[in-house]
PDB file of all heavy atoms in Angstrom:
ATOM      1  N   ALA W 168     -14.751   2.761 -25.866  1.00  0.00           N
ATOM      2  CA  ALA W 168     -15.209   2.323 -27.178  1.00  0.00           C
ATOM      3  C   ALA W 168     -16.712   2.541 -27.301  1.00  0.00           C
ATOM      4  O   ALA W 168     -17.463   2.262 -26.371  1.00  0.00           O
ATOM      5  CB  ALA W 168     -14.900   0.843 -27.380  1.00  0.00           C
ATOM      6  N   THR W 169     -17.125   3.064 -28.433  1.00  0.00           N
ATOM      7  CA  THR W 169     -18.546   3.187 -28.736  1.00  0.00           C
ATOM      8  C   THR W 169     -18.921   1.963 -29.558  1.00  0.00           C
ATOM      9  O   THR W 169     -18.465   1.793 -30.690  1.00  0.00           O
ATOM     10  CB  THR W 169     -18.831   4.479 -29.519  1.00  0.00           C
ATOM     11  OG1 THR W 169     -18.398   5.593 -28.739  1.00  0.00           O
ATOM     12  CG2 THR W 169     -20.306   4.612 -29.835  1.00  0.00           C
ATOM     13  N   ILE W 170     -19.751   1.112 -28.968  1.00  0.00           N
ATOM     14  CA  ILE W 170     -20.130  -0.128 -29.630  1.00  0.00           C
ATOM     15  C   ILE W 170     -21.198   0.136 -30.688  1.00  0.00           C
ATOM     16  O   ILE W 170     -21.130  -0.366 -31.804  1.00  0.00           O
ATOM     17  CB  ILE W 170     -20.590  -1.169 -28.596  1.00  0.00           C
ATOM     18  CG1 ILE W 170     -19.399  -1.475 -27.677  1.00  0.00           C
ATOM     19  CG2 ILE W 170     -21.118  -2.431 -29.251  1.00  0.00           C
ATOM     20  CD1 ILE W 170     -19.703  -2.279 -26.467  1.00  0.00           C
ATOM     21  N   ASN W 171     -22.176   0.943 -30.341  1.00  0.00           N
ATOM     22  CA  ASN W 171     -23.160   1.443 -31.310  1.00  0.00           C
ATOM     23  C   ASN W 171     -23.677   2.765 -30.754  1.00  0.00           C
ATOM     24  O   ASN W 171     -23.191   3.248 -29.744  1.00  0.00           O
ATOM     25  CB  ASN W 171     -24.273   0.416 -31.599  1.00  0.00           C
ATOM     26  CG  ASN W 171     -25.063   0.030 -30.362  1.00  0.00           C
ATOM     27  OD1 ASN W 171     -25.393   0.875 -29.530  1.00  0.00           O
ATOM     28  ND2 ASN W 171     -25.356  -1.257 -30.228  1.00  0.00           N
ATOM     29  N   LYS W 172     -24.670   3.367 -31.398  1.00  0.00           N
ATOM     30  CA  LYS W 172     -25.106   4.694 -30.957  1.00  0.00           C
ATOM     31  C   LYS W 172     -25.779   4.668 -29.579  1.00  0.00           C
ATOM     32  O   LYS W 172     -25.961   5.709 -28.956  1.00  0.00           O
ATOM     33  CB  LYS W 172     -26.023   5.342 -31.995  1.00  0.00           C
ATOM     34  CG  LYS W 172     -27.366   4.700 -32.170  1.00  0.00           C
ATOM     35  CD  LYS W 172     -28.168   5.454 -33.218  1.00  0.00           C
ATOM     36  CE  LYS W 172     -29.588   4.915 -33.308  1.00  0.00           C
ATOM     37  NZ  LYS W 172     -30.400   5.712 -34.218  1.00  0.00           N
ATOM     38  N   HIS W 173     -26.114   3.507 -29.072  1.00  0.00           N
ATOM     39  CA  HIS W 173     -26.770   3.407 -27.762  1.00  0.00           C
ATOM     40  C   HIS W 173     -25.868   2.838 -26.665  1.00  0.00           C
ATOM     41  O   HIS W 173     -26.209   2.922 -25.492  1.00  0.00           O
ATOM     42  CB  HIS W 173     -28.019   2.518 -27.857  1.00  0.00           C
ATOM     43  CG  HIS W 173     -29.034   3.032 -28.811  1.00  0.00           C
ATOM     44  ND1 HIS W 173     -29.776   4.156 -28.548  1.00  0.00           N
ATOM     45  CD2 HIS W 173     -29.430   2.585 -30.038  1.00  0.00           C
ATOM     46  CE1 HIS W 173     -30.589   4.384 -29.565  1.00  0.00           C
ATOM     47  NE2 HIS W 173     -30.400   3.454 -30.481  1.00  0.00           N
ATOM     48  N   LEU W 174     -24.714   2.264 -27.014  1.00  0.00           N
ATOM     49  CA  LEU W 174     -23.898   1.546 -26.038  1.00  0.00           C
ATOM     50  C   LEU W 174     -22.439   1.968 -26.108  1.00  0.00           C
ATOM     51  O   LEU W 174     -21.837   1.958 -27.188  1.00  0.00           O
ATOM     52  CB  LEU W 174     -24.013   0.031 -26.284  1.00  0.00           C
ATOM     53  CG  LEU W 174     -23.377  -0.889 -25.261  1.00  0.00           C
ATOM     54  CD1 LEU W 174     -24.014  -0.713 -23.885  1.00  0.00           C
ATOM     55  CD2 LEU W 174     -23.515  -2.345 -25.711  1.00  0.00           C
ATOM     56  N   LYS W 175     -21.886   2.350 -24.937  1.00  0.00           N
ATOM     57  CA  LYS W 175     -20.472   2.694 -24.798  1.00  0.00           C
ATOM     58  C   LYS W 175     -19.853   1.810 -23.737  1.00  0.00           C
ATOM     59  O   LYS W 175     -20.520   1.406 -22.782  1.00  0.00           O
ATOM     60  CB  LYS W 175     -20.288   4.151 -24.359  1.00  0.00           C
ATOM     61  CG  LYS W 175     -20.621   5.174 -25.385  1.00  0.00           C
ATOM     62  CD  LYS W 175     -20.343   6.555 -24.837  1.00  0.00           C
ATOM     63  CE  LYS W 175     -20.771   7.632 -25.821  1.00  0.00           C
ATOM     64  NZ  LYS W 175     -20.585   8.971 -25.257  1.00  0.00           N
ATOM     65  N   MET W 176     -18.566   1.537 -23.887  1.00  0.00           N
ATOM     66  CA  MET W 176     -17.835   0.740 -22.912  1.00  0.00           C
ATOM     67  C   MET W 176     -16.532   1.453 -22.558  1.00  0.00           C
ATOM     68  O   MET W 176     -15.871   2.005 -23.440  1.00  0.00           O
ATOM     69  CB  MET W 176     -17.512  -0.639 -23.488  1.00  0.00           C
ATOM     70  CG  MET W 176     -16.765  -1.529 -22.520  1.00  0.00           C
ATOM     71  SD  MET W 176     -16.380  -3.150 -23.220  1.00  0.00           S
ATOM     72  CE  MET W 176     -14.986  -2.741 -24.231  1.00  0.00           C
ATOM     73  N   ARG W 177     -16.186   1.450 -21.275  1.00  0.00           N
ATOM     74  CA  ARG W 177     -14.933   2.044 -20.799  1.00  0.00           C
ATOM     75  C   ARG W 177     -14.220   1.020 -19.917  1.00  0.00           C
ATOM     76  O   ARG W 177     -14.853   0.348 -19.105  1.00  0.00           O
ATOM     77  CB  ARG W 177     -15.201   3.304 -19.996  1.00  0.00           C
ATOM     78  CG  ARG W 177     -15.808   4.421 -20.791  1.00  0.00           C
ATOM     79  CD  ARG W 177     -16.147   5.619 -19.886  1.00  0.00           C
ATOM     80  NE  ARG W 177     -16.952   6.573 -20.585  1.00  0.00           N
ATOM     81  CZ  ARG W 177     -18.280   6.583 -20.588  1.00  0.00           C
ATOM     82  NH1 ARG W 177     -18.947   5.682 -19.909  1.00  0.00           N
ATOM     83  NH2 ARG W 177     -18.953   7.489 -21.268  1.00  0.00           N
ATOM     84  N   VAL W 178     -12.904   0.952 -20.065  1.00  0.00           N
ATOM     85  CA  VAL W 178     -12.079   0.052 -19.259  1.00  0.00           C
ATOM     86  C   VAL W 178     -10.817   0.813 -18.871  1.00  0.00           C
ATOM     87  O   VAL W 178     -10.240   1.534 -19.687  1.00  0.00           O
ATOM     88  CB  VAL W 178     -11.700  -1.228 -20.049  1.00  0.00           C
ATOM     89  CG1 VAL W 178     -10.792  -2.118 -19.229  1.00  0.00           C
ATOM     90  CG2 VAL W 178     -12.929  -1.981 -20.489  1.00  0.00           C
ATOM     91  N   ASN W 179     -10.397   0.647 -17.614  1.00  0.00           N
ATOM     92  CA  ASN W 179      -9.133   1.254 -17.188  1.00  0.00           C
ATOM     93  C   ASN W 179      -8.444   0.329 -16.203  1.00  0.00           C
ATOM     94  O   ASN W 179      -9.078  -0.476 -15.529  1.00  0.00           O
ATOM     95  CB  ASN W 179      -9.359   2.647 -16.585  1.00  0.00           C
ATOM     96  CG  ASN W 179     -10.208   2.594 -15.336  1.00  0.00           C
ATOM     97  OD1 ASN W 179      -9.904   1.865 -14.403  1.00  0.00           O
ATOM     98  ND2 ASN W 179     -11.294   3.343 -15.308  1.00  0.00           N
ATOM     99  N   ALA W 180      -7.131   0.443 -16.130  1.00  0.00           N
ATOM    100  CA  ALA W 180      -6.340  -0.359 -15.197  1.00  0.00           C
ATOM    101  C   ALA W 180      -5.041   0.365 -14.894  1.00  0.00           C
ATOM    102  O   ALA W 180      -4.491   1.071 -15.749  1.00  0.00           O
ATOM    103  CB  ALA W 180      -6.044  -1.734 -15.778  1.00  0.00           C
ATOM    104  N   SER W 181      -4.581   0.219 -13.679  1.00  0.00           N
ATOM    105  CA  SER W 181      -3.279   0.764 -13.300  1.00  0.00           C
ATOM    106  C   SER W 181      -2.696  -0.119 -12.205  1.00  0.00           C
ATOM    107  O   SER W 181      -3.418  -0.772 -11.463  1.00  0.00           O
ATOM    108  CB  SER W 181      -3.397   2.214 -12.822  1.00  0.00           C
ATOM    109  OG  SER W 181      -4.162   2.270 -11.631  1.00  0.00           O
ATOM    110  N   GLY W 182      -1.398  -0.138 -12.126  1.00  0.00           N
ATOM    111  CA  GLY W 182      -0.735  -0.960 -11.120  1.00  0.00           C
ATOM    112  C   GLY W 182       0.618  -0.381 -10.755  1.00  0.00           C
ATOM    113  O   GLY W 182       1.156   0.478 -11.461  1.00  0.00           O
ATOM    114  N   SER W 183       1.146  -0.843  -9.657  1.00  0.00           N
ATOM    115  CA  SER W 183       2.470  -0.397  -9.229  1.00  0.00           C
ATOM    116  C   SER W 183       3.120  -1.482  -8.381  1.00  0.00           C
ATOM    117  O   SER W 183       2.440  -2.315  -7.781  1.00  0.00           O
ATOM    118  CB  SER W 183       2.368   0.905  -8.431  1.00  0.00           C
ATOM    119  OG  SER W 183       1.669   0.683  -7.218  1.00  0.00           O
ATOM    120  N   THR W 184       4.438  -1.459  -8.352  1.00  0.00           N
ATOM    121  CA  THR W 184       5.209  -2.339  -7.474  1.00  0.00           C
ATOM    122  C   THR W 184       6.240  -1.498  -6.748  1.00  0.00           C
ATOM    123  O   THR W 184       6.640  -0.426  -7.227  1.00  0.00           O
ATOM    124  CB  THR W 184       5.930  -3.452  -8.250  1.00  0.00           C
ATOM    125  OG1 THR W 184       6.855  -2.855  -9.161  1.00  0.00           O
ATOM    126  CG2 THR W 184       4.952  -4.333  -8.995  1.00  0.00           C
ATOM    127  N   ARG W 185       6.667  -1.988  -5.607  1.00  0.00           N
ATOM    128  CA  ARG W 185       7.646  -1.252  -4.805  1.00  0.00           C
ATOM    129  C   ARG W 185       8.535  -2.254  -4.099  1.00  0.00           C
ATOM    130  O   ARG W 185       8.066  -3.259  -3.571  1.00  0.00           O
ATOM    131  CB  ARG W 185       6.910  -0.395  -3.775  1.00  0.00           C
ATOM    132  CG  ARG W 185       7.807   0.409  -2.884  1.00  0.00           C
ATOM    133  CD  ARG W 185       6.965   1.283  -1.948  1.00  0.00           C
ATOM    134  NE  ARG W 185       7.793   2.188  -1.217  1.00  0.00           N
ATOM    135  CZ  ARG W 185       8.326   1.926  -0.040  1.00  0.00           C
ATOM    136  NH1 ARG W 185       8.110   0.765   0.536  1.00  0.00           N
ATOM    137  NH2 ARG W 185       9.084   2.804   0.583  1.00  0.00           N
ATOM    138  N   ASN W 186       9.823  -1.974  -4.079  1.00  0.00           N
ATOM    139  CA  ASN W 186      10.786  -2.786  -3.348  1.00  0.00           C
ATOM    140  C   ASN W 186      11.758  -1.825  -2.691  1.00  0.00           C
ATOM    141  O   ASN W 186      12.445  -1.082  -3.385  1.00  0.00           O
ATOM    142  CB  ASN W 186      11.519  -3.741  -4.300  1.00  0.00           C
ATOM    143  CG  ASN W 186      12.392  -4.724  -3.549  1.00  0.00           C
ATOM    144  OD1 ASN W 186      12.453  -4.702  -2.328  1.00  0.00           O
ATOM    145  ND2 ASN W 186      13.055  -5.583  -4.289  1.00  0.00           N
ATOM    146  N   ALA W 187      11.800  -1.809  -1.357  1.00  0.00           N
ATOM    147  CA  ALA W 187      12.612  -0.821  -0.649  1.00  0.00           C
ATOM    148  C   ALA W 187      13.481  -1.487   0.413  1.00  0.00           C
ATOM    149  O   ALA W 187      13.047  -2.409   1.093  1.00  0.00           O
ATOM    150  CB  ALA W 187      11.712   0.228   0.005  1.00  0.00           C
ATOM    151  N   GLN W 188      14.688  -0.995   0.527  1.00  0.00           N
ATOM    152  CA  GLN W 188      15.615  -1.382   1.588  1.00  0.00           C
ATOM    153  C   GLN W 188      16.039  -0.103   2.286  1.00  0.00           C
ATOM    154  O   GLN W 188      16.504   0.825   1.640  1.00  0.00           O
ATOM    155  CB  GLN W 188      16.864  -2.066   1.005  1.00  0.00           C
ATOM    156  CG  GLN W 188      16.583  -3.312   0.213  1.00  0.00           C
ATOM    157  CD  GLN W 188      16.205  -4.472   1.113  1.00  0.00           C
ATOM    158  OE1 GLN W 188      16.652  -4.563   2.241  1.00  0.00           O
ATOM    159  NE2 GLN W 188      15.355  -5.342   0.615  1.00  0.00           N
ATOM    160  N   ASN W 189      15.872  -0.041   3.594  1.00  0.00           N
ATOM    161  CA  ASN W 189      16.176   1.191   4.314  1.00  0.00           C
ATOM    162  C   ASN W 189      17.435   1.008   5.149  1.00  0.00           C
ATOM    163  O   ASN W 189      17.434   0.287   6.135  1.00  0.00           O
ATOM    164  CB  ASN W 189      15.003   1.582   5.216  1.00  0.00           C
ATOM    165  CG  ASN W 189      15.233   2.901   5.911  1.00  0.00           C
ATOM    166  OD1 ASN W 189      16.261   3.529   5.739  1.00  0.00           O
ATOM    167  ND2 ASN W 189      14.279   3.316   6.705  1.00  0.00           N
ATOM    168  N   LYS W 190      18.484   1.656   4.742  1.00  0.00           N
ATOM    169  CA  LYS W 190      19.734   1.668   5.513  1.00  0.00           C
ATOM    170  C   LYS W 190      20.063   3.092   5.966  1.00  0.00           C
ATOM    171  O   LYS W 190      21.199   3.403   6.282  1.00  0.00           O
ATOM    172  CB  LYS W 190      20.891   1.108   4.673  1.00  0.00           C
ATOM    173  CG  LYS W 190      20.781  -0.363   4.362  1.00  0.00           C
ATOM    174  CD  LYS W 190      21.002  -1.204   5.603  1.00  0.00           C
ATOM    175  CE  LYS W 190      21.025  -2.683   5.275  1.00  0.00           C
ATOM    176  NZ  LYS W 190      21.235  -3.508   6.454  1.00  0.00           N
ATOM    177  N   ASP W 191      19.055   3.975   5.998  1.00  0.00           N
ATOM    178  CA  ASP W 191      19.283   5.369   6.364  1.00  0.00           C
ATOM    179  C   ASP W 191      19.762   5.543   7.797  1.00  0.00           C
ATOM    180  O   ASP W 191      20.402   6.543   8.123  1.00  0.00           O
ATOM    181  CB  ASP W 191      18.020   6.206   6.153  1.00  0.00           C
ATOM    182  CG  ASP W 191      17.685   6.372   4.681  1.00  0.00           C
ATOM    183  OD1 ASP W 191      18.584   6.136   3.848  1.00  0.00           O
ATOM    184  OD2 ASP W 191      16.544   6.725   4.377  1.00  0.00           O
TER     185      ASP W 191
END
Side-chain angles (χ1 to χ4, degrees):
T169 301
I170 297 170
N171 60 41
K172 68 179 186 175
H173 300 289
L174 188 62
K175 289 182 184 176
M176 181 180 78
R177 295 176 191 92
V178 177
N179 63 54
S181 65
S183 65
T184 62
R185 180 177 188 269
N186 188 0
Q188 301 286 329
N189 184 359
K190 292 290 185 180
D191 291 343

